Amino acid sequence: MFETGVRQFRMAMSMVWGRRIDTRNIGRLVDDVLATLAEFGEPGADAQELLGGPLADPKAQQEFATRGLRRTARRLATASPFYARRLAAADVDLAKLDLAGLRAIPVTTKQDLVERPGDFLCTDVAAYLTTRTTGTTGRPAEIWLSRYEMELWPALGALGSVLREDLRPSDIMQVNVSSQATAAVHLTAASCRLARTGCRLLGVMAPDSALDSLAESGATLLFTYPSYLAELVTSARRRGMGPDDFKLRCVNLGGEVLSPSLDQAARQTLGVPQIEDSFSMTEVIPVTGRTCSQSHLHIDLNSGHTELIDLETGEPAAPGALGTVVITPYFPYRDCMPVFRYDTRDVARRLPDGPLSCEASGIPAISQILGKADSLLRLGPADVITPRQLIDAIEALPTSPWPARYRATAHGGRIQLTLPAAAITDYGEAAARRHFAEAGLDVDLTIVSDDQATSLRHTRSDLREATFNTQHALVGA
Amino acid sequence: MTTEPISLLQQTFTEFGVIMVGLIAVSACALFYFRHVRMERPPVGTFNGRDIGVLLVFISTLPFLYAVLPDWLITCLLVLTFTSSLFIGYKPVVGATRAWLGIGLLIGLNIWTSHHLMGSTAGWQLWWGELSILVGLGAIAVANLYVQGGMKLQYVAWFALALAVYDIIFATILPLTDKLVAGYLAHPLDPLLGMRFGIDNYGVGLGDLLIYALFLTATYKAYGAHAARLAFGLIVVVGGVVTAFVPFLLNFFDTELDLLVPSQAFFGPAAFLFYLWMKHRYGRERTMGEYRASTDSAALTTTPAQPAPAPEPASV
């Protein structure tokens, strides 16, 4: 108990002063949390502050953000060749940088990262491991990570997860994310190690094999993409599997849009009581967000600063308006290849001004991610259709066409929607049009053969990984 | 404990009475508190073996601090210790305002009586009575802070055994305790529970009371009511009877008086053996979580902490 207090104090001081955090100290704190849960069955009072930080007061949040941004900008001005140039060109006084003055610094785009990756590497840190974006929305970006980052992030993740009991020593987590997502795979495995949770890293394998593994291993946690979950649910239904075949208590999803229909189907078919739809992105790790029960996205305040900027003007989005999510991970949470004001191109809607009433009301929120900015359909000056609207409507079709495969374009103020034939089999085009109209979507339907389905819209479940049992016969073998 | 050669048997029974009142009141009240009051605890942390080490280092250096530091500084440290332990212990019972008022009254009165009422037996008795309440409340609060903080019976038993060694060393090899008790008597917040009868002072130390309260509550938490009754019997027999009558027996062999009895030298080994027997008899100790879920727990429940979002493994 005494030494736990010292550890918490050391960690708090590192966070307050913005110094690199002792990762072994956090690892020992994870052990302390596990010992606490083993003894008491729950964390003690004020666990909320330990998890979310004592930042319920908006003024305190602004001061914290200002300090974090100044600290991060000062370091980047000396250690990052890209940002040394960018900050000098913006001609801002970094000692006086504040949230309003931040807008003088242009956003960083994925194109910047792809074209000049070496310029983003900080000169005072040794690169250790590289991870790439999956490239489902364009050319992949490559991010270098330091040893410190690879130790810090799982430690912080494990600390939060064991406190919330998202990870327990009695759990087994099955991980069905792409092996190319090096950081996600490594961090998940390391978090499980710290939390003493069993971890099965399987990759994006054949859904039937993943289902067999889920059922046979008694996995209690599943970490995957919504599109892959869709394939699992579809396969399970085809095989007649139901809740009694699984022991899942939570499914953690990220990286894609999760529709209410798929969420509900997964709960029913897999018997999973909790589905966590979280936000994270390779370029801005370790900043992550969680979706609350009122479908707000709450992005963590402690590890980075989040802005929602208007797609046209670059100014803060007005209440109710769409904007692109711009994130700055703070030093010392990101130190090898950091980004500053990174434009994720993930679109969300700013919530109306006023206090929130959800369970995470102390943390500012935006709407759930509605899709990529480049995928918005503009039917008129004020009429914008988001990918989430389309995916929600398509996946709500009675034919259960999961994951949604479609192509959508705007033409003459209407949506030209292309679907594979299986999406409306035994349902009909007329009924499908009515279905979309009820969802507020005025569509012209085009139906193509099912073998073109994958090419209509790529999903992460397409990053299929073969085994000797599932791959095609090797020529000459 | 300071005595005069009036009647050894009378002194022994008086001391026995004081010890019994002290240990029964403090142990029973600690157990009552444990069953009915739920203390707030930090979000993370449970009492472990290394904490016992920290406590032992602190206790071992205490006699030297008493010898080295000026009285006013010792009083300040004692005020800080008593204030924090009493506030943590009694805020859940009477609320913050009443707790502050009560603590201020008790400590203020003790400091005032220490300086103004020592000229008469009645004055001494008022000082002892008020100090005993303060020390008893402190022992009850700290015992619950530790046991409700996750201190297992195993740690209590080892702690008692270590204190037995400490008591023997500081009573024989480095006889500091006797001098400190005699030298610090009548100072503010003297960590003793006792009473004055005639010209004699009779008392039992805060540390001893704390061990008895810890042992009883930790046994109850670990193994339930039946085991607690056995532990209570051990406390009465070894902590009360043996401690009180040892001076009487020793005085048959020499006529030295003013004995300070190293109680833990007797109670520590007995408590440790008793723990080993209970472990053999009942098996693994209950955790606090298991105790709370059991029918033995009558404590008021508090609102469980609501977790909030925080960093988690990046997904893609």
Side-chain angles (χ1 to χ4, degrees):
Chain A
M1 183 170 276
F2 299 139
E3 57 186 357
T4 304
V6 173
R7 284 178 194 135
Q8 284 178 261
F9 181 75
R10 285 183 60 199
M11 183 176 163
M13 285 299 100
S14 297
M15 292 168 83
V16 167
W17 297 115
R19 296 178 185 145
R20 280 193 174 84
I21 302 169
D22 183 345
T23 54
R24 280 177 297 182
N25 184 57
I26 307 175
R28 286 191 283 265
L29 267 175
V30 175
D31 289 339
D32 292 338
V33 178
L34 291 172
T36 304
L37 295 175
E39 179 62 32
F40 300 102
E42 63 184 13
D46 300 331
Q48 174 113 7
E49 287 196 358
L50 198 66
L51 281 164
L55 294 175
D57 174 33
K59 212 168 182 178
Q61 290 173 357
Q62 284 187 5
E63 285 173 13
F64 183 84
T66 302
R67 281 203 308 272
L69 288 167
R70 284 178 187 171
R71 182 173 68 239
T72 306
R74 274 200 304 270
R75 175 170 181 267
L76 292 183
T78 56
S80 165
F82 179 88
Y83 286 110
R85 289 195 300 272
R86 174 152 291 192
L87 293 169
D91 196 24
V92 289
D93 183 353
L94 299 183
K96 295 177 181 170
L97 182 66
D98 58 16
L99 300 184
L102 192 62
R103 295 202 291 277
I105 303 168
V107 296
T108 303
T109 62
K110 186 172 182 178
Q111 193 178 354
D112 293 327
L113 267 180
V114 170
E115 288 177 353
R116 284 165 286 181
D119 286 0
F120 284 84
L121 280 169
C122 279
T123 52
D124 58 350
V125 178
Y128 159 62
L129 181 77
T130 180
T131 187
R132 294 165 67 112
T133 60
T134 45
T136 47
T137 55
R139 202 172 138 197
E142 191 171 61
I143 309 292
W144 278 95
L145 309 170
S146 67
R147 282 173 60 97
Y148 165 74
E149 287 170 323
M150 290 304 291
E151 290 169 2
L152 176 69
W153 299 340
L156 289 172
L159 184 60
S161 296
V162 293
L163 265 172
R164 285 191 304 269
E165 294 195 76
D166 288 349
L167 291 179
R168 299 173 186 160
S170 56
D171 279 324
I172 297 173
M173 177 185 276
Q174 179 164 314
V175 182
N176 291 116
V177 299
S178 170
S179 304
Q180 296 173 46
T182 322
V185 172
H186 276 242
L187 296 176
T188 304
S191 294
C192 287
R193 175 179 60 78
L194 289 167
R196 302 175 202 177
T197 298
C199 185
R200 292 171 69 90
L201 300 171
L202 297 181
V204 183
M205 64 196 313
D208 280 341
S209 300
L211 276 178
D212 290 339
S213 172
L214 269 181
E216 290 162 12
S217 71
T220 52
L221 307 171
L222 172 64
F223 175 30
T224 188
Y225 311 118
S227 57
Y228 193 73
L229 178 69
E231 297 205 11
L232 291 180
V233 172
T234 304
S235 294
R237 289 185 166 189
R238 175 177 47 77
R239 292 170 59 179
M241 299 175 86
D244 293 341
D245 295 307
F246 307 102
K247 292 180 180 172
L248 285 171
R249 70 176 181 91
C250 182
V251 175
N252 199 306
L253 302 166
E256 292 174 332
V257 169
L258 171 69
S259 72
S261 308
L262 178 60
D263 181 295
Q264 191 181 6
R267 289 174 195 269
Q268 286 173 352
T269 306
L270 304 180
V272 56
Q274 186 186 0
I275 293 184
E276 291 283 344
D277 184 12
S278 57
F279 168 81
S280 56
M281 194 177 195
T282 305
E283 296 93 316
V284 295
I285 40 176
V287 181
T288 58
R290 292 168 68 90
T291 306
C292 71
S293 58
Q294 294 183 15
S295 298
H296 307 142
L297 179 63
H298 300 264
I299 300 182
D300 176 46
L301 294 170
N302 295 305
S303 55
H305 178 63
T306 301
E307 304 165 74
L308 189 69
I309 63 172
D310 189 279
L311 291 163
E312 307 297 332
T313 64
E315 294 296 308
L322 295 175
T324 175
V325 178
V326 172
I327 294 178
T328 304
Y330 297 139
F331 179 79
Y333 300 103
R334 183 80 179 262
D335 79 337
C336 184
M337 194 171 167
V339 289
F340 196 91
R341 296 201 81 209
Y342 185 79
D343 185 356
T344 64
R345 304 304 286 164
D346 276 331
V347 174
R349 196 176 294 281
R350 183 171 160 188
L351 299 178
D353 285 339
L356 301 173
S357 59
C358 60
E359 70 274 17
S361 58
I363 303 171
I366 53 179
S367 76
Q368 285 180 291
I369 299 298
L370 304 173
K372 285 288 178 188
D374 304 336
S375 304
L376 296 177
L377 293 182
R378 296 186 181 280
L379 303 180
D383 192 3
V384 178
I385 302 298
T386 66
R388 180 175 285 275
Q389 284 174 278
L390 293 167
I391 291 168
D392 285 357
I394 293 167
E395 294 194 345
L397 282 165
T399 51
S400 305
W402 307 320
R405 303 285 188 177
Y406 70 94
R407 182 182 298 132
T409 54
H411 188 72
R414 300 194 72 199
I415 304 165
Q416 303 292 315
L417 184 65
T418 306
L419 292 176
I424 58 166
T425 301
D426 299 331
Y427 189 57
E429 284 193 39
R433 280 195 194 89
R434 280 197 301 277
H435 168 88
F436 287 116
E438 285 167 8
L441 302 171
D442 181 17
V443 302
D444 275 339
L445 270 183
T446 303
I447 305 300
V448 297
S449 63
D450 288 338
D451 56 6
Q452 295 180 53
T454 306
S455 63
L456 292 177
R457 172 181 170 244
H458 289 300
T459 64
R460 284 177 165 81
S461 63
D462 298 333
L463 300 166
R464 195 60 54 83
E465 294 164 47
T467 65
F468 284 114
N469 291 333
T470 57
Q471 71 181 7
H472 299 299
L474 296 172
V475 175
Chain B
M1 182 185 66
T2 312
T3 60
E4 287 293 323
I6 44 170
S7 159
L8 194 56
L9 193 61
Q10 186 186 348
Q11 283 178 30
T12 301
F13 274 101
T14 309
E15 176 66 5
F16 176 64
V18 169
I19 292 175
M20 290 302 284
V21 168
L23 70 83
I24 288 173
V26 170
S27 303
C29 289
L31 183 58
F32 181 85
Y33 184 108
F34 182 74
R35 294 191 68 237
H36 293 87
V37 182
R38 190 164 179 171
M39 295 175 105
E40 282 184 11
R41 58 184 170 85
V44 181
T46 180
F47 220 97
N48 60 28
R50 286 183 292 278
D51 292 320
I52 297 294
V54 172
L55 275 180
L56 284 170
V57 168
F58 175 72
I59 289 170
S60 302
T61 53
L62 213 51
F64 299 104
L65 289 179
Y66 270 89
V68 170
L69 298 179
D71 284 352
W72 65 266
L73 189 53
I74 293 173
T75 303
C76 288
L77 292 174
L78 286 169
V79 167
L80 189 68
T81 308
F82 272 99
T83 302
S84 52
S85 62
L86 291 173
F87 184 73
I88 292 168
Y90 299 101
K91 181 189 156 205
V93 182
V94 297
T97 308
R98 287 177 186 170
W100 280 124
L101 284 172
I103 292 164
L105 190 69
L106 281 170
I107 292 180
L109 189 61
N110 185 267
I111 293 172
W112 186 81
T113 53
S114 301
H115 289 102
H116 297 92
L117 289 184
M118 295 315 215
S120 64
T121 299
W124 272 95
Q125 286 177 335
L126 180 63
W127 179 80
W128 269 117
E130 197 269 345
L131 178 68
S132 297
I133 293 170
L134 195 60
V135 168
L137 289 173
I140 293 163
V142 174
N144 272 277
L145 184 66
Y146 289 175
V147 177
Q148 293 198 28
M151 190 179 197
K152 297 175 187 296
L153 179 60
Q154 176 194 8
Y155 301 141
V156 177
W158 276 107
F159 189 38
L161 194 62
L163 286 181
V165 176
Y166 167 91
D167 258 11
I168 291 167
I169 290 172
F170 282 94
T172 55
I173 302 168
L174 289 169
L176 274 175
T177 316
D178 202 356
K179 289 174 187 167
L180 287 172
V181 168
Y184 202 72
L185 191 66
H187 282 71
L189 304 174
D190 193 357
L192 291 170
L193 183 150
M195 188 45 71
R196 184 181 180 104
F197 295 103
I199 59 167
D200 298 321
N201 292 300
Y202 303 88
V204 53
L206 171 61
D208 297 324
L209 294 171
L210 178 62
I211 285 290
Y212 303 141
L214 279 172
F215 192 67
L216 183 64
T217 47
T219 302
Y220 181 77
K221 184 210 103 180
Y223 297 119
H226 179 67
R229 279 193 287 273
L230 297 175
F232 191 67
L234 186 81
I235 291 167
V236 168
V237 171
V238 182
V241 178
V242 174
T243 302
F245 284 90
V246 159
F248 180 74
L249 294 172
L250 289 179
N251 275 290
F252 278 111
F253 302 104
D254 64 58
T255 54
E256 186 187 342
L257 300 172
D258 294 345
L259 277 176
L260 180 123
V261 184
S263 312
Q264 296 311 309
F266 307 109
F267 185 74
F272 190 76
L273 291 173
F274 186 74
Y275 156 70
L276 292 178
W277 177 79
M278 280 195 286
K279 188 181 169 190
H280 175 73
R281 174 89 169 77
Y282 297 109
R284 184 180 68 84
E285 292 183 43
R286 288 189 296 196
T287 63
M288 272 302 291
E290 289 167 339
Y291 163 72
R292 296 270 186 231
S294 75
T295 53
D296 288 337
S297 173
L300 300 171
T301 53
T302 56
T303 310
Q306 287 291 321
E312 59 185 25
S315 58
V316 287

